Every structure is written in C-alpha cells, then in structure tokens.
Amino acid sequence: MKTRHSMQNVSVPPPPARPPRRWASPRLRRPAGWPLRTKLLVATLALLAAMSATVGLVGYGAMRVYLSAQLDQQLQEASNRAIRFGLVYRGADRSSPDLLAAPAQGAGTLNARIQDGEVDRAGLLTPEGRRQDLPARDRQLLNGLTVGGPPIDRTLSVGVYRLIARLDEDDEDTIVTGLPLAGMDRTLSSLTTTTAAVSLAGLAATGLLGMVIIRRTLRPLEDLSAVATRVSRLPLDQGDVALSVRVPPATALPATEVGRLGHAFNLMLDNVAGALAARRQIETRLRRFVADASHELRTPLATIRGYAELIRFTQPLAPDGRVYLERVESESQRMTALVEDLLLLARLDEGHLPQEEDLDLTQLVVETVSDAQAAAPTHTWRVELPDDPVTVRGDESQLRQVMINLLANAHRHTGPGTTVLTALRTEPGAGAVVTVTDDGPGIPADLVDRVFSRFTQADPARSDSGTHGLGLSIAEAIVSAHGGSIGVSSRPGRTEFTVQLPGTESACQPAPVPDTL
C-alpha cells in the first residue's frame, strides 16, 4: 500500500489517463517476402518443371504421330492381305473364305465382308488365335464406313478400333479391316508414366542438390549480413568506437559478384571507421577544451566574487554603485554555476564512473521535494512513496542533482498554483522508477524530441532568465552513467519525466502508483 504525502492542501482535479510513453521503441514488423535462396530454388524448379512438361508434351505428341502412322501402315498391310486372301481362296461358286484365316494376321485383327449392303462374317482374332463374331450393333457401325476413305476410329463393344473399308479387286464386295488402338494407348500411357516419374525424380534431385548448391553459393551473403548486423548493434553514436568488424577475406574477393560486394562493404567500413576516429578525436579535443576552460575559469570567477564582496564590505558605495556591484555578484554566481555544469558534463562524457554506494532513494526524494517547496512556495508539491524504503546503488550527490534539476525544471517552466507530483515505485525487472509529473501547459511539440539536448531553451515567454539549458542534459548524463534511462511525455495539462534506475536485492516491490495527481 502506498503512502501519499501532500506539502499543501490544494485540491487538483485528476488529469486524463496516462498516454503511452513516447520514448518506447515501436514494435518492428518483419517485412513480407521470401528469402533469396527460396526464390532461386523455386524459380529453378519452376523452369525445370516447365521444361519437363514441354519435353513430355512434345515427346507424347511425336510418339502419338509416329504410332498412329505405324498403325495406319499395319492396317493397310492387313487390309491388303485380307483382300488377296479372299481373291485367291474364293470358291468355285464364288463363295468368300473367312478373311481372318489369312496368314500373318495378328491378334485383335478385325475383318468383315459387305455384300449387297449386308455384313457377312464379321469377327476378330482373340489373343488365343480364335475367331470371335461381332454383335449386331458393331455390324451396323461397320456398314456405315466410307469405302475408300481414310482410316477412322470407332468405339466397338470390344474396344476402340481403327477401321478402313476398301473394295476387293473385283470391285464387287467391300472388305472392312480393323486394328485395335489398345496397344498404342498402352504405349502412350507407359510413356506418360515414365516421363512423369523421371520428371518428378529429376525435380526432387534438383531441389535437394539445388538447395545445397544455392546455400553454399549464398553463404558469403550470409556472412556479409552477419557483419552488417554486428555493425548495426555497435554504439556508434557515442564513446570510443572500435569498428574492427570486417567481411572475411574469402568473402571479399573482387573476382566474383558477391566478392565485389564484400570488398565494397569493407571499403565502406574503413571509411566509416576513419570518420568515427576523426569524430572521436574532435570530440575528445572539444571535451578536453571544455573541461580545461571550465577548470581554469573557476579561479578567476571565484576571484571576481571575492573582490566584489570585499568591495561591498570595505568600501563606501553610492546606492547605484551598490546595485551595480550586486549585479556583478549575481552574474558571477550564474557564470560559476554554468562553468560547474560544463565541467560535470565534460567529466561524465569522458567516462568518469560515479562513486556507487547503497542509498535510500526514498529519503533523497523527500529531501529534494522539501527543498523545492522552500524554493517555490507558490506551487503545490506532492509525493507518493511506497511503505518500504527503495534502495539503489549510485552516487548520492549526482542523483540528488538529477532530482533537483527535474524539480527545478518543473517549477521554472510552469506558473504559480501548478501541482507537481513526485512518485517513487519499483517494478519487476526495471528497478526503481521515479516520476515527476506536473499539470502545467506542457512542453511544445517541437521541443519534446530535443529536450535533453544541451543548451536547449524553451520559448522565452515561458523561460526564466537564469536558466542556461543544461539541467536536463546533466540529468540524462548522470542517469546514463548509473546504467538507467530517462524519458519524457508531454501534452497540455500533463508533463511527466520518468527516471529508471537499476535496483538492489533489498529493493521492495510495492503496489503500483495510481495514475492521478
């Protein structure tokens, strides 16, 4: 359970619900699309499948034409044998012999004689060499054939046959001869099955081998992607950056396309490394200059203040002279504060670690809020604290400076009567969280993104002449040096600064703070 402390009894209406934190990272969405290896493999298999289908169709058509021509030739020969046999073995009474008894006629051969429009002795040879008569329906189909026309396919009760009708040599009777299409159909079916099986086996083998070949071929691109990923995770925006990551020499051979890409990537990294090194040198010289200048300015500023105080206490001054002297003292104090802030920032930029110790953050919050109330009594100061102390590791003086800067920022940029709520809580996995919330006019939208930048000034109409725009920059630098984070969200009527600090094992886990002032 939380304990709410109020420095003044002022009733403030609750603000709207807390907006989402603007500094939260948006969820990255993976772009749609297939990997390059998948595209190459699918394209290869598609081309191979198209080629196999084309070869199969062309082969099937060519084989069908060939088999059909062969069957027509066999049919013509069978018809000739039947006609000659009927002529040679015709009886004395000109009776016609059984045409199926002609020599060299194969199984399935069909023969029939048509005399005076009547089908006579129509039958076929079975695989056992026996004669099989055709039923009446098949006889009618044979009777309807065109004499002397090209071979034609007909579906009989015994299967599909290719038939031809010709006059015998006496031009008296019509001889019908037919051969079954079953053999040609079986050959074409076997060809189709074989082509499909070989094509599928080829596609499967190509897919497996292609996957291995493409994976090995694109491995340099994976190495290049891994290098780019490692570079993207380096903190290039601050500190001494050692950009030692490079594409392996085997991947950066200019003889291949991928090698040229890797070589160009290494050249780019060399250029970036050189630029970062130059930037680091410039920043180091600038920080050293700021630190040295700030350190050197402390002595003359202290001397100016000392002599000003000495003049004020030892020399008789006119009223105007005393005002001028007080002005010199106030400006020297402001200059001294600016120099101290610059010196602190320079030391933090150089990586000076804070003196860490276990400290009670609850007591620090209470003390800084009490000091802020004394400095700005026209504001309403309220605190929300957990029942148990919140302990963190850090430099007490620096963390106190963070709280002082945040509270000073709250009362300097808001009008009298503004309520400022300072809340402390702990969150699992986040450590200690301190929020400073006010119900003032808010931060201008164009200033929110750079509010922690150095020498950032608000609109002069809402700024105090004594500020120099380093307070929030110092707060961010100190929190970062302690391994924490600081952020801000603002809208008219509600501005909230949030500081997250790593906690210790003794930190408590209280109930959440209500989202109200």
Side-chain angles (χ1 to χ4, degrees), residues 24-281:
S25 299
R27 180 177 298 177
L28 298 179
R29 295 182 179 179
R30 185 179 179 180
W34 288 0
L36 180 58
R37 64 166 64 94
T38 303
K39 292 182 179 180
L40 291 176
L41 184 60
V42 170
T44 301
L45 293 179
L47 291 175
L48 181 59
M51 183 179 65
S52 299
T54 302
V55 172
L57 291 175
V58 173
Y60 181 88
M63 181 61 70
R64 186 177 183 87
V65 171
Y66 171 77
L67 293 178
S68 181
Q70 187 182 46
L71 184 62
D72 290 343
Q73 182 179 0
Q74 294 174 355
L75 180 61
Q76 191 71 28
E77 293 174 355
S79 178
N80 292 336
R81 287 194 296 269
I83 292 174
R84 287 197 300 270
F85 179 78
L87 180 64
V88 173
Y89 292 94
R90 181 179 298 176
D93 56 353
R94 302 186 62 84
S95 60
S96 174
D98 186 2
L99 300 179
L100 292 177
Q105 298 288 52
T109 303
L110 181 148
N111 279 123
R113 180 183 292 273
I114 302 176
Q115 294 179 340
D116 300 329
E118 296 292 334
V119 179
D120 181 32
R121 307 186 72 178
L124 58 86
L125 289 177
T126 64
E128 294 81 10
R130 297 178 182 178
R131 175 185 175 82
Q132 178 181 342
D133 293 332
L134 296 179
R137 186 175 66 86
D138 292 344
R139 291 171 180 267
Q140 293 178 359
L141 291 176
L142 297 180
N143 199 14
L145 296 178
T146 302
V147 179
I152 188 170
D153 296 339
R154 286 289 185 266
T155 302
L156 306 178
S157 60
V158 292
V160 181
Y161 268 72
R162 179 160 295 181
L163 305 172
I164 186 173
R166 297 172 58 192
L167 293 175
D168 60 9
E169 294 186 0
D170 294 338
D171 296 332
E172 294 180 357
D173 300 333
T174 301
I175 306 300
V176 177
T177 306
L179 291 177
L181 296 179
M184 186 179 71
D185 292 340
R186 285 193 300 269
T187 302
L188 293 176
S189 177
S190 177
L191 175 63
T192 302
T193 303
T194 303
T195 302
V198 172
S199 298
L200 291 177
L203 286 174
T206 302
L208 295 177
L209 295 177
M211 184 182 302
V212 175
I213 295 174
I214 291 175
R215 185 180 295 274
R216 291 185 177 180
T217 304
L218 296 182
R219 186 171 298 169
L221 288 181
E222 295 180 355
D223 296 339
L224 185 62
S225 176
V227 171
T229 301
R230 289 198 298 270
V231 172
S232 67
R233 294 174 180 173
L234 294 176
L236 303 179
D237 58 337
Q238 57 185 353
D240 190 5
V241 180
L243 192 58
S244 59
V245 182
R246 291 295 185 276
V247 178
T251 310
L253 297 176
T256 63
E257 291 79 0
V258 178
R260 287 196 292 271
L261 179 60
H263 182 67
F265 195 77
N266 278 343
L267 294 178
M268 182 189 69
L269 291 180
D270 292 339
N271 188 21
V272 172
L276 291 175
R279 186 211 68 180
R280 180 59 179 172
Q281 293 178 358

Side-chain angles (χ1 to χ4, degrees), residues 3 15 29 53 55 134 148 170 191 229 281 300 321 329 354 356 371 416 434 442 446 467 484 492 517:
T3 303
R29 295 182 179 179
V55 172
L134 296 179
D170 294 338
L191 175 63
T229 301
Q281 293 178 358
E329 291 179 345
E356 292 189 349
D371 294 341
V434 182
D446 59 342
T467 62
L517 286 176

Side-chain angles (χ1 to χ4, degrees), residues 21 69 161 212 332 367 434 438 457 479 493:
R21 296 179 179 177
Y161 268 72
V212 175
S332 63
E367 292 176 358
V434 182
D438 66 74
Q457 294 283 354
V479 172

Side-chain angles (χ1 to χ4, degrees), residues 485-501:
S485 61
I486 184 172
V488 61
S489 63
S490 180
R491 69 172 186 269
R494 180 182 179 84
T495 299
E496 181 179 85
F497 286 87
T498 302
V499 177
Q500 182 270 323
L501 295 170

